[in-house]
Amino acid sequence: MNDDLFDLGRAELFDAEAIGQPGNRRFRLFVRSRRGTASLWLEREQLERLSLAIDQVLAEISGGEMLRPEAMANVMLPPGAPDDFPVQPDIEFQVSAMQLGYDEDQDVMLLRAAPLELIEQDDGELTVREDVEPQFSALMSRGQAMQLNSHILNILASGRPRCPFCGRPMEEKHVCEKQNGYHPVGLN
């Protein structure tokens, strides 16, 4: 992958989706503008951190008026990528790091992402390269950011239930390390 920044500018479409069944899902952001399209593949934790960062920026610019729901009932999954979104976008990669910013003059958020790059060490072990520069950027309106965040929250809520103590996914029986394994937590 080259070191050029693929700048989509103002996005017409900026959304997220989960592909697969809970416990075996892949997550991606899909973006389209007049300049091109992008698919950015994320881990669940990255998607969750992005949602928290969007919440934080929205709360800052609205003077603290944002509320984040902790529990959601009757979760509806977002529609996913539209049928006309290309199977092979102009840029596609697994994300290692993201940056989120806000431009007050234009009232837009800027998302920049760097691809995951692995380096093979002398002993054959693979490590993640930490100094990768962002190779993707796009702008989204405040409304798009709010919709994206809502969709991310629905995606996260539709997955496997999380343990309230350790945050790990719960299966039929979950032995929580925070409870020293003495008090199995079951799904009701």
Side-chain angles (χ1 to χ4, degrees), residues 3 35 40 64 87 105 121 123 131 137 145 150-151 163 172 180:
D3 291 330
R35 297 181 187 174
L40 306 176
V87 175
D105 295 334
Q121 302 297 319
D123 61 0
D131 61 345
S137 73
S150 173
H151 286 177
C163 174
E172 289 300 316
N180 291 326

Side-chain angles (χ1 to χ4, degrees), residues 56-120:
Q56 184 178 12
V57 171
L58 289 172
E60 264 182 45
I61 62 179
S62 67
E65 300 285 323
M66 296 299 297
L67 295 176
R68 181 178 179 85
E70 288 300 319
M72 299 172 69
N74 302 322
V75 175
M76 293 196 43
L77 280 175
D83 292 338
D84 65 344
F85 194 82
V87 175
Q88 294 183 330
D90 299 313
I91 188 167
E92 181 171 23
F93 59 79
Q94 179 73 36
V95 173
S96 70
M98 292 179 286
Q99 301 168 341
L100 186 68
Y102 176 69
D103 182 334
E104 190 174 345
D105 295 334
Q106 295 183 47
D107 192 27
V108 293
M109 283 192 199
L110 168 68
L111 179 76
R112 292 173 27 135
L116 180 69
E117 289 187 19
L118 299 175
I119 301 171
E120 187 172 354

Side-chain angles (χ1 to χ4, degrees), residues 24 30 34 85 132 134 151 155 176:
N24 194 24
F30 53 93
R34 291 187 318 242
F85 194 82
V132 179
H151 286 177
I155 288 167
C176 178

Side-chain angles (χ1 to χ4, degrees), residues 15-30 40-44 47 75-81 148 151-160:
D15 214 339
E17 70 180 338
I19 300 168
Q21 296 300 312
N24 194 24
R25 298 191 297 176
R26 294 186 69 201
F27 305 94
R28 79 169 173 165
L29 297 175
F30 53 93
L40 306 176
W41 295 94
L42 305 158
E43 298 295 325
R44 183 194 188 282
L47 198 62
V75 175
M76 293 196 43
L77 280 175
L148 172 63
H151 286 177
I152 290 173
L153 290 173
N154 286 342
I155 288 167
L156 296 173
S158 70
R160 293 179 291 174

Side-chain angles (χ1 to χ4, degrees), residues 17 51 74 117 122 128 130 138 149:
E17 70 180 338
S51 174
N74 302 322
E117 289 187 19
D122 294 334
V128 175
E130 299 290 332
N149 201 31

Side-chain angles (χ1 to χ4, degrees), residues 6-23:
F6 189 79
D7 181 8
L8 282 180
R10 248 182 216 269
E12 299 164 357
L13 173 67
F14 207 125
D15 214 339
E17 70 180 338
I19 300 168
Q21 296 300 312

